[in-house]
Amino acid sequence: MVTDAQSDVNELRSNGQTMRRGQCVARRGSEVVSQVSRCTMNTLLVLAAVLLATPARGQDLSGAKTLSVVPQTEAQLKELIKLFDAGQYDFWREPRDMGMSVDIMATASQVQELTAALERSGLKPQVKVDDVAQMVMRQNSGVYSRGARSLDWEDYHDSYTINRWMAQLASDHPDLCTLETVGKSYEGRPMNLLTVGKGGADKPGIFIDGGIHAREWISPATVTFLVNQLVTNSSAHDDLLSSVNFYFMPVINPDGYDYSFTDDRLWRKTRSEPASPGGCSGADANRNWDFHWMEAGTSNDSCVDNYGGSAPFSEVEMQVVRDQLTRLRNTTKVYLTFHSYGQKWMYPWGYTAALPEDWQDLDRLARDAVGALKAVHGTRYQVGSSTRTIYAASGGSDDWAKGVAGIKYCYTVELRDLGTHYFTLPPSLIIPSGQETFAALKVIANFVKKTYSD
Ligand SMILES: [Zn+2]
């Protein structure tokens, strides 16, 4: 069944342009060219040529470097957390525990200062990415597609392509799929929920989302891979599909996600307008949930990457996901939210180092899942609570799903890799990532079937 999933897509896309009905809008960095009235083909072609020649822009990355450190003492970890909380630098991998790598990007003017600050704490910073601009450029000049004809997993795709693919899939497999447009993003992009299953609405469910952080492209790519495996190879999973419902929302921050294709490859937040004058756009969608909101690992400075928003659920996209989780909470047993990078399968709490009462249940299932994952390509994932020692981050979706919606098995998964390619994981690794993650999902789905359906 296809509901009005695509009816709201009044956009034609071509090479990163957004053309709304009756209007031409081309984005090029912060510069917006807008012509209300006629859109002639010539204009489109000229704009396409300009955009093709212009790499995605945003912050100035020339001379930017990424430094890595491994805190060895609690004092060093505390210093890193202080630095993280100050919000001056873009932490690609946040400080979590002693012995665990932290990756920090510094712009050209910050490199010296950051190096000195780290060395003062006795840390030994290593330059891991010598030229961030070059790294980003490499991926942007690759063959990833905007507005491609169809979805594949040899490339990364924008939200429009993903939505169109989901609509086609639902229309091709009406016995298995239900696609609903359940909301709209701040900038008006449709937010779709795809339900896959044939056992009826009262069967136990697994809710899976991706793309909450814009720049983590492997997340939507992996989630759509999981969808595709289940649906196009359904005869192999007949048993599961009769007993379990899978709820998919592959791109829950579509404005930020598309912005990371067109303007700023390293964008993390949503794209909402600043709540107060002089502020910056967007909030960290994974600090915006109303459960111990703004308590730890988050900032009230809108210009910082982990800005928790002007209020809990200030971001409309998170309201949309919240409403679906609420609607489905009685049957949903597992919540999976995909991020990158770091290869971690984490469970609550994020806001405190205390563990949930039933953490051993969550731990056991996670270990079974990563065991199956590893058997596919040998990729190792670490299992544990989101808060290992003294670093906490509150307002995350997994904490809310467990603490408020009451879903028992909630996991935040940091997908590949361990800091070789950072957020710019080569497209050739999408399929391996999808294959191994699907093995983990099968373990979880079989567990749900056995525990709640048989
Ligand atoms: Zn993330």
Side-chain angles (χ1 to χ4, degrees), residues 48-308:
V50 168
L51 281 149
L52 274 174
T54 313
R57 308 177 340 161
Q59 54 182 326
D60 182 10
L61 294 175
S62 50
K65 295 182 191 305
T66 299
L67 307 181
S68 289
V69 287
V70 183
Q72 302 293 354
T73 65
E74 190 164 312
Q76 288 177 345
L77 184 62
K78 276 188 176 150
E79 281 305 314
L80 283 168
I81 291 168
K82 230 160 70 186
L83 208 59
F84 174 76
D85 285 343
Q88 197 182 346
Y89 302 104
D90 181 0
F91 277 69
W92 286 7
R93 191 154 39 161
E94 296 159 22
R96 288 194 182 274
D97 206 352
M98 287 173 277
M100 291 169 82
S101 287
V102 178
D103 303 325
I104 315 165
M105 189 190 84
T107 60
S109 60
Q110 292 176 324
V111 172
Q112 237 182 351
E113 190 189 301
L114 175 63
T115 308
L118 295 169
E119 284 174 349
R120 268 198 305 279
S121 308
L123 291 157
K124 297 185 180 65
Q126 285 192 320
V127 176
K128 281 292 175 67
V129 182
D130 191 45
D131 189 343
V132 175
Q134 183 85 45
M135 185 179 84
V136 165
M137 187 82 84
R138 258 203 304 275
Q139 187 153 64
N140 277 327
S141 62
V143 283
Y144 81 89
S145 76
R146 302 166 183 166
R149 283 231 178 81
S150 65
L151 201 70
D152 59 41
W153 290 270
E154 287 163 6
D155 234 330
Y156 294 105
H157 301 274
D158 64 7
S159 76
Y160 174 79
T161 310
I162 291 174
N163 280 327
R164 197 173 44 180
W165 168 76
M166 282 205 293
Q168 188 62 49
L169 196 74
S171 112
D172 290 349
H173 302 272
D175 50 324
L176 211 53
C177 298
T178 307
L179 185 65
E180 299 163 87
T181 299
V182 290
K184 273 185 183 178
S185 70
Y186 186 85
E187 292 177 347
R189 290 180 176 81
M191 293 185 66
N192 290 329
L193 172 75
L194 182 73
T195 303
V196 181
K198 53 184 182 184
D202 57 347
K203 291 290 175 193
I206 301 175
F207 193 105
I208 299 170
D209 69 37
I212 191 169
H213 285 145
R215 62 194 178 185
E216 298 165 5
W217 286 5
I218 188 60
S219 162
T222 299
V223 174
T224 52
F225 185 94
L226 302 178
V227 173
N228 195 52
Q229 283 301 301
L230 276 176
V231 176
T232 61
N233 196 14
S234 62
S235 57
H237 319 295
D238 205 49
D239 204 23
L240 282 180
L241 291 164
S242 304
S243 327
V244 178
N245 284 315
F246 297 84
Y247 304 107
F248 290 104
M249 293 190 74
V251 191
I252 62 172
N253 171 16
D255 298 346
Y257 179 66
D258 284 0
Y259 188 75
S260 74
F261 279 73
T262 56
D263 288 70
D264 183 347
R265 175 66 189 85
L266 295 176
W267 189 256
R268 168 179 166 104
K269 301 191 287 179
T270 59
R271 290 296 302 159
S272 53
E273 287 300 310
S276 53
C280 297
S281 297
D284 184 338
N286 203 36
R287 298 288 189 277
N288 192 233
W289 292 65
D290 192 8
F291 185 70
H292 297 271
W293 178 76
M294 204 54 96
E295 283 181 13
T298 179
S299 170
N300 55 16
D301 175 351
S302 68
C303 295
V304 161
D305 259 337
N306 60 339
Y307 171 53

Side-chain angles (χ1 to χ4, degrees), residues 15-32:
N15 297 305
Q17 302 166 56
T18 304
M19 279 136 313
R20 295 199 168 80
R21 227 172 237 166
Q23 183 183 34
C24 270
V25 179
R27 300 193 69 107
R28 192 182 163 207
S30 57
E31 177 191 340
V32 176

